[in-house]
Amino acid sequence: MSGRPAPGGRDVRLLFAARSVRLFAYGLVSVVLVLHLSELGLSQGRIGLLLTLTLLGDTLISLLITTRADRAGRRRMLRLGAALMVVAGAVFALAGSFWLLLAAATVGVISPSGNEVGPFLAVEQAALAQQVQPEHRTRLFAWYQLAGAAATALGALCGGGLAEGLQRAGLAPLQSYRAVVAAYGLLGVALFGIFSALGPTSEASPAGPGPGSPRPALGLSRSRRVVLRLSALFAVDAFAGGFVVQSLVAWWFHQRFGVGEALLGAIFFGANSMAAVSALSAAAIARRIGLVNTMVLTHLPSNVLLFLVPLMPTLPLAVAVLLCRFAISQMDVPTRQSYTMAVVDPGERSAAAGVTGIARTVGASLAPIVAGPLYASAAFSGAPFLVAGGLKILYDLFLWRAFRGLKPPEESR
């Protein structure tokens, strides 16, 4: 592992707190979201459509916010994202109409996967990257990934436990799920408060484009070519990941093995905890073999394990393979984030992180509408795992071929 966190000031600590609160909220709702929608009487086809439009709506919001954040103000844009998270939580907690849910999913910010959605990650990455030296960047992002993964794990545990506890206390399943989603909205209020406390060191550096200068397309100029190439590859990886979002995998375990909400929470607590710890190892590996090699060589074996999950005949074996997969599957995340920040112009970091993040969200958003009916089919319920694993292996191979020669500054010395 990589030792102590990289140095950072007050804004770094606040950004870590924001990441933790947000990912706790995402983990909280991800375990029960599909169960909630199913209890409302929505078909798997409609649930898949809703999840797809949730991610597409997050994409539009991200595009509007991240490509303007460096000029309009990062803190202002982060607060706007938090407000949209509150809106989504309130509507999902109160509404029963498919069309109201659809509107909230499209305009608001809610995560069906337990992973990052919306504009937050891109803007926070840009703010963090400018506050440390390049040699500390990957280590800082590894701890940032650890904070998020640990919060997601705890959120999943609490979401499943809260829903089942409320049901044991006498609430109907639908009421228990609504309580969890209401808590999600309240955490959005807390996130708004954290972003309001950020100082000016989180804003774009003076070397970046000024408020009065012409805004290039997507907020990118010198970095456009490399960002678009990365975005195309990241979209493939995210499309593959969209077949195995946490909400759908939780529902698969529920249908295949009859797993209850509390045990689902415990399973994903363990999975996300392993992912959290593995993030620290990624920084140490990257120092030895480089960022691109770390992304690829840690990702390939995790995709082989993904193939094996639906082939396991018993719950303990399926959970064991899933946990092994999570133990290495997220090691590419801090290295990917660090690499993107390293190879783009410093004044275009929010836009670069935003565009690559949007590409991932678009890719992920297209998968649930295909995956939903597959999960609902007894004959093909394991197919999403196979599709995801195969596409992710192709992504790894193409990424290594395209970017092995483009080194970040700290690897070129």
Side-chain angles (χ1 to χ4, degrees):
M1 294 189 184
S2 55
R4 294 180 299 171
R10 178 176 177 273
D11 275 11
V12 170
R13 293 190 292 273
L14 285 171
L15 289 167
F16 269 61
R19 165 86 165 170
S20 299
V21 169
R22 184 171 65 255
L23 270 293
F24 178 86
Y26 290 170
L28 188 81
V29 80
S30 68
V31 172
V32 304
L33 182 59
V34 173
L35 299 175
H36 171 62
L37 297 174
S38 180
E39 195 68 26
L40 285 171
L42 301 186
S43 67
Q44 283 302 309
R46 278 199 160 188
I47 290 174
L49 175 63
L50 189 64
L51 296 184
T52 288
L53 291 177
T54 297
L55 293 169
L56 285 175
D58 291 339
T59 300
L60 178 60
I61 295 300
S62 295
L63 179 65
L64 293 174
I65 291 178
T66 58
T67 58
R68 291 165 171 77
D70 286 346
R71 295 161 182 268
R74 291 172 178 168
R75 291 172 290 176
R76 181 183 302 169
M77 295 294 101
L78 287 169
R79 289 195 297 269
L80 176 57
L84 294 174
M85 181 175 164
V86 175
V87 169
V91 175
F92 269 73
L94 298 173
S97 163
F98 172 74
W99 300 107
L100 279 176
L101 293 170
L102 195 62
T106 304
V107 176
V109 175
I110 195 164
S111 174
S113 64
N115 296 325
E116 280 280 13
V117 294
F120 307 107
L121 179 64
V123 181
E124 288 177 0
Q125 283 176 359
L128 287 168
Q130 73 186 34
Q131 299 193 53
V132 293
Q133 295 300 315
E135 58 268 23
H136 294 305
R137 188 186 56 252
T138 302
R139 184 153 55 98
L140 181 67
F141 281 13
W143 281 95
Y144 178 76
Q145 173 66 14
L146 170 63
T152 302
L154 185 59
L157 182 66
C158 292
L162 177 60
E164 189 161 306
L166 290 172
Q167 291 173 36
R168 287 178 177 173
L171 267 66
L174 179 58
Q175 291 175 305
S176 72
Y177 302 149
R178 280 181 163 162
V180 174
V181 179
Y184 173 87
L186 291 175
L187 288 166
V189 176
L191 190 64
F192 187 95
I194 294 172
F195 289 142
S196 298
L198 286 172
T201 61
S202 292
E203 300 294 354
S205 62
S213 58
R215 186 172 66 87
L218 301 176
L220 296 169
S221 179
R222 291 185 292 270
S223 308
R224 182 178 300 142
R225 184 171 180 270
V226 67
V227 169
L228 293 180
R229 291 171 66 205
L230 284 170
S231 296
L233 288 167
F234 291 170
V236 173
D237 180 47
F239 177 73
F243 280 83
V244 287
V245 295
Q246 192 159 292
S247 293
L248 288 172
V249 174
W251 186 83
W252 180 82
F253 273 98
H254 180 72
Q255 293 296 108
R256 172 78 178 270
F257 298 109
V259 181
E261 292 88 351
L263 182 53
L264 283 173
I267 290 170
F268 287 101
F269 171 77
N272 286 293
S273 295
M274 288 187 168
V277 173
S278 73
L280 298 183
S281 301
I285 295 170
R287 284 199 304 271
R288 291 174 173 82
I289 66 173
L291 290 171
V292 172
N293 288 337
T294 303
M295 281 189 272
V296 173
L297 295 178
T298 61
H299 212 223
L300 280 170
S302 76
N303 298 324
V304 174
L305 290 168
L306 191 58
F307 275 118
L308 299 178
V309 172
L311 304 180
M312 295 297 102
T314 65
L315 175 62
L317 287 174
V319 171
V321 173
L322 182 74
L323 292 178
C324 289
R325 192 252 170 179
F326 266 81
I328 55 175
S329 67
Q330 298 301 300
M331 293 175 71
D332 72 310
V333 176
T335 46
R336 183 183 71 228
Q337 294 168 349
S338 180
Y339 184 77
T340 303
M341 293 296 95
V343 298
V344 301
D345 187 271
E348 298 174 2
R349 281 174 170 161
S350 288
V355 170
T356 54
I358 287 163
R360 293 188 61 83
T361 304
V362 170
S365 69
L366 298 176
I369 197 169
V370 179
L374 291 175
Y375 279 107
S377 166
F380 296 103
S381 63
F385 295 89
L386 305 180
V387 173
L391 287 174
K392 281 177 170 290
I393 288 172
L394 289 175
Y395 154 78
D396 290 327
L397 297 176
F398 279 107
L399 177 70
W400 185 80
R401 181 178 179 183
F403 286 97
R404 67 185 188 276
L406 181 58
K407 306 289 186 183
E410 64 268 27
E411 293 178 19
S412 303
R413 294 170 183 171

